[in-house]
Amino acid sequence: MLIFMKHFALFILFIASHLIASAQNSCSFSDNGSANSYTLNSGDVLCIEAGVFTGTILNLDYNAEIRVANGAVFQPSMMLNVNGLISNKGTVKLMSSNTIGSGFSINNDSGALFQFNVAQIFTDAIAINNHKDAQMDFYTAFDLNNGTTVFNEGVMKMKGAMHIQEGSLLTNEGVIYLTNHLTVSGILFNSGIMKVVGSTTIQNTAFFTNKCSYYGKNTFVNNSPQTENYGYINIYGWDTANCKFINNALFYNGDNGIIQSNDFDNYSNITGTGSFTVQQVSRNFGHFGLDGGGINFYDMSPTGNQIFDVQQVIPDNSVSKIAVNLYDTMYISGNCNQMIFPDFLNAPLPVVMTVFETTAPNCIPNIYWKTEEEKNSDYFDIERKSESDYGFKSIARLQASGVSTITHEYNYLDENLPNGKYQYRLKIVDLDGKYNYSRVSYLQVFCGNQEETNVFPNPATDVVNVALQTNADDTYHIAIYDLAGRLVYKNEYSFTNGFNQVQIPISQFQNGYYSLLITNNIKTESFKLLKN
């Protein structure tokens, strides 16, 4: 992280120095669309005010600048000695192959389009700043040379392979869509959305931190001990041979980290918490959960009593295995920087949302959001996920404002919830049926007068007590599973309104961790139980 901050600070200084220098210079040349030739020395500024420029840039010196105005198009037939800055508010199309020098930088402003239509020859480090609501298209492979810095808040579409070389930095807070392979040898910091159709390889020199959503349609291989996940990684293809999550180095998964994959192979050390979901075959040849963080392992096709299908090394006792048949493909982490994410083709958003928050006044969750603009919006689905839920569930629907350019406020009270930790998000649906998701908001509810469940003692030796304060008469099912997912105890209880307590004998259980589930027709609560 210190290395990332160092690179990011240098990048900001680099861009700032160009912007300060350009702000002090007025237009040396103005062009309204021509085929002229220009030689731009240090301090010169060429302003493309309107029309389509198709001429030649014979020299773009250090500290020289090309400014493209809103509505103008810069489409040079050739560029030589390219070392300066292109500031774009309109459209830039590089249709010829140019040799790009070490001082070259791009500032692609909101609403602008910048296209690399053919391969460029990058001889040294460059700097790119792609603002929010801006778009960059790369029609060929893109190598980030040593020292290159790219900061993306908008949309980047790449048709060729991308290599983030050692010493380079890519920071993504927007959307990146790559239809080829990704190799990371430098620093990749993702707090936006990335979709990689080809394979992903994280080399041993790389620093990869994922805080939002990373989708890979081909195999994801981690060879770096500096890889950390605090968001969502989904290796979502169905090709068994080429759709795996393979770990060959130290991998850390944070509290809300989620890994989903078709196949899973671990040859090294995976630590932390969060969850892993595997659709088909899971193999463990290294250490899994050795730090005792309590990873949840969801198996969609269990084949035996052990946690992994192939288990050369037994995982730590803190790891829980749960058999599931669901696969959450639309999860967006609460660590994501932006409020709402478009689809990968940059479809326009029906809603501009400025506030989304959850609070619990008087122990009742209040989901509140505010919009500044709505365009053909239809409705909002409020979705909730508890600690015992695998995926989000819709709990309410509120009508949207349709077409509006004024502020609208919405809120919903989620009443009669038991104590616990919850996640909320909004599904924003427009009149065409297209939809987007908000970020996830986390909330903990704890109120003494609500339903409350206690499991004690824990650890336990002979018996374990389940004490439950209910608000109504109801039937409850209590089940206990071992780490291999085998059912070792199950019973049905009729509880009355008020305080209820039952004793469960566990002296015959083997020592170790168990999962205790308490279920009625409304909710399921899960507890980790240690027998010793």
Side-chain angles (χ1 to χ4, degrees):
M1 184 59 70
L2 290 176
I3 293 178
F4 161 71
M5 292 304 295
K6 176 183 176 183
H7 277 74
F8 186 70
L10 290 173
F11 170 67
I12 293 299
L13 288 173
F14 184 78
I15 289 293
S17 64
H18 277 75
L19 294 180
I20 291 172
S22 64
Q24 296 171 346
N25 297 334
S26 58
C27 299
S28 307
F29 308 95
S30 294
D31 194 294
N32 291 314
S34 75
N36 295 336
S37 297
Y38 292 95
T39 298
L40 303 177
N41 298 315
S42 180
D44 287 342
V45 179
L46 168 61
C47 296
I48 311 298
E49 305 282 4
V52 180
F53 175 82
T54 58
T56 302
I57 304 299
L58 299 174
N59 184 61
L60 180 62
D61 207 352
Y62 296 95
N63 296 323
E65 180 187 2
I66 297 172
R67 294 180 192 165
V68 183
N70 184 21
V73 178
F74 178 69
Q75 186 176 314
S77 59
M78 183 173 59
M79 297 177 69
L80 303 174
N81 304 317
V82 183
N83 299 290
L85 167 67
I86 296 181
S87 298
N88 181 37
K89 293 180 181 292
T91 300
V92 173
K93 295 183 178 182
L94 300 185
M95 308 293 291
S96 62
S97 182
N98 307 290
T99 301
I100 308 296
S102 61
F104 181 66
S105 59
I106 297 170
N107 188 46
N108 203 40
D109 214 338
S110 296
L113 172 65
F114 200 112
Q115 294 182 327
F116 290 92
N117 296 82
V118 297
Q120 306 297 307
I121 304 171
F122 296 102
T123 61
D124 213 324
I126 64 171
I128 296 176
N129 187 10
N130 191 44
H131 289 263
K132 187 175 181 181
D133 299 324
Q135 180 172 322
M136 297 191 74
D137 296 336
F138 298 80
Y139 289 93
T140 60
F142 181 38
D143 278 1
L144 280 69
N145 292 327
N146 188 346
T148 292
T149 50
V150 177
F151 181 66
N152 177 51
E153 292 180 298
V155 175
M156 285 186 164
K157 299 178 183 178
M158 303 179 179
K159 293 186 178 294
M162 181 167 65
H163 184 194
I164 304 173
Q165 296 186 17
E166 187 173 358
S168 59
L169 164 68
L170 170 59
T171 301
N172 178 46
E173 294 185 0
V175 176
I176 293 179
Y177 183 68
L178 176 62
T179 60
N180 212 297
H181 304 294
L182 172 64
T183 303
V184 182
S185 302
I187 302 172
L188 173 57
F189 186 84
N190 179 48
S191 55
I193 285 183
M194 294 186 68
K195 182 177 181 180
V196 179
V197 176
S199 62
T200 300
T201 304
I202 311 297
Q203 303 285 36
N204 62 349
T205 57
F207 288 78
F208 175 42
T209 301
N210 179 55
K211 294 186 66 179
C212 189
S213 297
Y214 187 97
Y215 299 85
K217 200 173 181 180
N218 212 307
T219 295
F220 181 104
V221 180
N222 177 54
N223 298 316
S224 169
Q226 294 89 218
T227 298
E228 299 177 352
N229 176 48
Y230 303 92
Y232 176 59
I233 297 177
N234 181 6
I235 312 305
Y236 65 95
W238 286 94
D239 183 352
T240 303
N242 298 302
C243 185
K244 300 179 180 179
F245 180 94
I246 302 175
N247 182 57
N248 297 318
L250 176 64
F251 183 95
Y252 177 78
N253 202 44
D255 287 347
N256 298 308
I258 295 176
I259 307 291
Q260 294 185 162
S261 180
N262 186 44
D263 282 11
F264 171 87
D265 291 344
N266 176 42
Y267 295 93
S268 186
N269 188 8
I270 293 178
T271 62
T273 53
S275 67
F276 288 73
T277 300
V278 178
Q279 297 184 66
Q280 295 191 32
V281 181
S282 60
R283 308 172 186 87
N284 186 51
F285 304 98
H287 298 294
F288 192 86
L290 197 60
D291 59 338
I295 299 173
N296 289 319
F297 189 86
Y298 296 97
D299 194 345
M300 295 183 65
S301 57
T303 57
N305 294 327
Q306 58 194 24
I307 290 184
F308 297 97
D309 297 318
V310 178
Q311 188 166 285
Q312 184 170 312
V313 180
I314 299 175
D316 187 75
N317 285 336
S318 63
V319 178
S320 298
K321 176 180 179 179
I322 304 173
V324 297
N325 58 7
L326 298 173
Y327 197 68
D328 188 357
T329 60
M330 299 303 299
Y331 180 82
I332 295 180
S333 168
N335 294 322
C336 296
N337 277 11
Q338 296 186 358
M339 191 67 68
I340 307 174
F341 292 92
D343 66 22
F344 296 112
L345 297 179
N346 195 29
L349 297 177
V351 171
V352 176
M353 185 181 300
T354 56
V355 177
F356 175 58
E357 62 185 16
T358 54
T359 57
N362 302 317
C363 302
I364 301 175
N366 181 42
I367 299 92
Y368 168 80
W369 66 99
K370 182 167 66 175
T371 66
E372 298 294 339
E373 180 181 347
E374 299 187 30
K375 183 184 300 182
N376 297 323
S377 58
D378 192 1
Y379 60 85
F380 299 93
D381 267 350
I382 303 170
E383 298 185 349
R384 180 186 67 211
K385 181 176 182 291
S386 70
E387 292 178 285
S388 59
D389 292 331
Y390 179 71
F392 281 89
K393 300 176 181 178
S394 177
I395 59 171
R397 176 172 294 183
L398 271 65
Q399 197 67 34
S401 297
V403 178
S404 174
T405 57
I406 63 175
T407 300
H408 288 275
E409 296 181 271
Y410 302 84
N411 78 289
Y412 175 79
L413 294 176
D414 193 11
E415 299 180 298
N416 301 320
L417 275 185
N419 293 334
K421 296 179 181 179
Y422 297 91
Q423 301 177 34
Y424 291 91
R425 72 182 183 186
L426 296 176
K427 182 179 181 180
I428 306 103
V429 183
D430 66 14
L431 293 172
D432 297 327
K434 297 179 180 179
Y435 58 87
N436 299 280
Y437 285 97
S438 73
R439 68 174 178 85
V440 176
S441 181
Y442 299 89
L443 182 68
Q444 182 169 3
V445 177
F446 181 79
C447 299
N449 61 347
Q450 290 195 358
E451 291 190 357
E452 186 172 351
T453 305
N454 289 305
V455 176
F456 64 94
N458 194 4
T461 302
D462 298 318
V463 296
V464 61
N465 298 286
V466 176
L468 180 62
Q469 181 77 28
T470 68
N471 292 330
D473 296 349
D474 204 351
T475 299
Y476 283 76
H477 299 270
I478 298 179
I480 301 177
Y481 296 85
D482 63 14
L483 283 179
R486 294 172 297 195
L487 179 67
V488 296
Y489 177 86
K490 183 178 182 180
N491 208 344
E492 180 180 296
Y493 299 90
S494 295
F495 289 159
T496 59
N497 183 15
F499 180 79
N500 301 267
Q501 181 172 322
V502 295
Q503 278 193 342
I504 300 174
I506 62 169
S507 58
Q508 73 278 17
F509 292 3
Q510 294 183 357
N511 291 347
Y513 282 91
Y514 293 83
S515 294
L516 188 150
L517 276 66
I518 306 171
T519 306
N520 66 353
N521 62 349
I522 298 176
K523 62 185 177 69
T524 297
E525 293 183 274
S526 177
F527 299 86
K528 281 189 177 179
L529 171 66
L530 176 60
K531 163 66 167 63
N532 61 16

